[in-house]
């Protein structure tokens, strides 16, 4: 798909997106990486055969976040504050909106340090698996800036406000073991097992009804901010759709057949 981002899809409907701009340690800004990721999201949304997405990276770093060379341009006299605000709105801030809108589940397979916007990119995914050498840093304050790409929204929802505040206000990194303890990742594996484990998890998800998986993901997202009565109304609407899918009909028929066989 791009020299910066590789797009691969297998017969199970699992897409693997691989960041690959090692000269910048897979920085998101100043390289076209954001546009490549947005194009991938659009492709995924338009392809009904996609069931799960794995996001990972080549090299020793998952993503270094912001590009320092681009930051040097931004602090120069030729770029005004209003122009910078628009750069964020029409640039990297499109990324959390695109990932959040994806109907299919996303798994970040974090192979190394995820720094600043790179940490936030991992947080944009629904699930995270980390290699033992991975680390996570919400490090914006160390550069005298703030999380400009949604980190202040994602991180507290994943690890709670106290720990999110500790990461965000100190800018200090946490290792993979701490990320597991804090609930930022669901498991830590060796480097060799990172992609196989991510693929195994993706296959377990892909084995289920694609419509039910997509609707369940949306309910989980809406449940983060909706009132209970509102979520129940949405659940009823989604359930009425799920009841009419061929996968549900087949699952009920299979269950009935097994029960009849046991009684026989």
């Amino acid at each position: 798909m791009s020299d910066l981002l590789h797009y691969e899809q297998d017969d199970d409907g699992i897409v693997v997106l691989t960041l690959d701009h090692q000269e910048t340690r897979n920085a998101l800004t100043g390289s076209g990486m954001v546009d490549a990721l947005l194009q991938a999201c659009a492709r995924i949304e338009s392809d009904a055969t996609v069931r799960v997405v794995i996001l990972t990276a080549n090299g020793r770093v998952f993503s270094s976040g912001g590009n320092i060379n681009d930051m040097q341009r931004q602090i120069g006299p030729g770029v005004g504050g209003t122009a910078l605000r628009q750069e964020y709105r029409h640039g990297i801030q499109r990324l959390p909106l695109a990932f959040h809108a994806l109907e299919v589940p996303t798994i970040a397979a974090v192979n190394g340090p995820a720094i600043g916007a790179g940490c936030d990119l991992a947080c944009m995914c629904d699930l995270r698996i980390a290699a033992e050498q991975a680390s996570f840093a919400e490090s914006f304050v160390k550069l005298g800036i703030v999380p400009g790409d949604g980190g202040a929204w994602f991180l507290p929802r994943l690890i709670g406000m106290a720990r999110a505040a500790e990461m965000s206000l100190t800018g200090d990194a946490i290792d993979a073991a701490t990320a597991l303890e804090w609930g930022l990742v669901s498991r830590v594996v060796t480097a060799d097992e990172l992609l196989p484990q991510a693929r195994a998890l993706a296959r377990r998800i892909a084995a289920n009804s694609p419509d039910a998986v997509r609707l369940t993901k949306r309910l989980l997202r809406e449940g983060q901010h909706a009132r209970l009565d509102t979520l129940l109304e949405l659940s009823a609407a989604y359930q009425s759709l799920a009841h009419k899918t061929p996968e549900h009909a087949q699952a009920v028929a299979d269950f009935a057949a097994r029960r009849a066989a046991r009684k026989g």
Side-chain angles (χ1 to χ4, degrees), residues 76-219:
V79 183
T82 299
L84 274 175
R85 175 174 174 265
Q86 295 302 325
E87 278 191 22
Y88 272 89
R89 292 183 66 242
H90 299 292
I92 197 170
Q93 287 187 348
R94 293 180 295 163
L95 204 52
L97 295 173
F99 267 81
H100 198 63
L102 284 176
E103 286 197 340
V104 296
T106 52
I107 302 169
V110 184
N111 56 297
I115 304 164
C119 178
D120 292 343
L121 178 62
C123 291
M124 293 173 200
C125 295
D126 301 304
L127 297 162
R128 282 152 298 283
I129 297 176
E132 292 170 334
Q133 61 268 43
S135 60
F136 300 83
E138 192 75 351
S139 54
F140 298 92
V141 292
K142 288 189 178 293
L143 291 173
I145 55 177
V146 302
D149 55 359
W153 192 90
F154 289 103
L155 196 57
R157 284 169 167 76
L158 294 174
I159 62 175
M161 182 58 75
R163 284 169 170 164
E166 181 176 334
M167 287 186 68
S168 301
L169 299 178
T170 66
D172 294 341
I174 61 171
D175 60 18
T178 303
L180 179 63
E181 180 188 349
W182 288 8
L184 185 56
V185 302
S186 59
R187 66 186 72 177
V188 175
V189 299
T190 65
D192 290 343
E193 281 297 305
L194 181 63
L195 267 182
Q197 288 281 346
R199 287 184 184 275
L201 177 58
R203 285 194 295 270
R204 286 164 54 202
I205 296 170
N208 295 313
S209 162
D211 291 316
V213 167
R214 288 171 180 243
L215 294 173
T216 298
K217 171 177 173 174
R218 181 52 55 189
L219 284 176

Side-chain angles (χ1 to χ4, degrees), residues 5 23 42 58 112 117 121 143 156 173 181-182 209 212 225-227 256 260 263:
L5 180 71
E23 66 183 80
N58 279 335
L121 178 62
L143 291 173
E181 180 188 349
W182 288 8
S209 162
H225 57 79
R227 298 186 329 187
K263 289 182 177 179

Side-chain angles (χ1 to χ4, degrees), residues 242-260 262:
H243 271 292
K244 298 300 182 180
T245 60
E247 290 85 5
H248 175 62
Q250 186 63 54
V252 171
D254 290 346
F255 182 85
R258 289 194 299 270
R259 183 173 59 183
R262 288 196 299 268

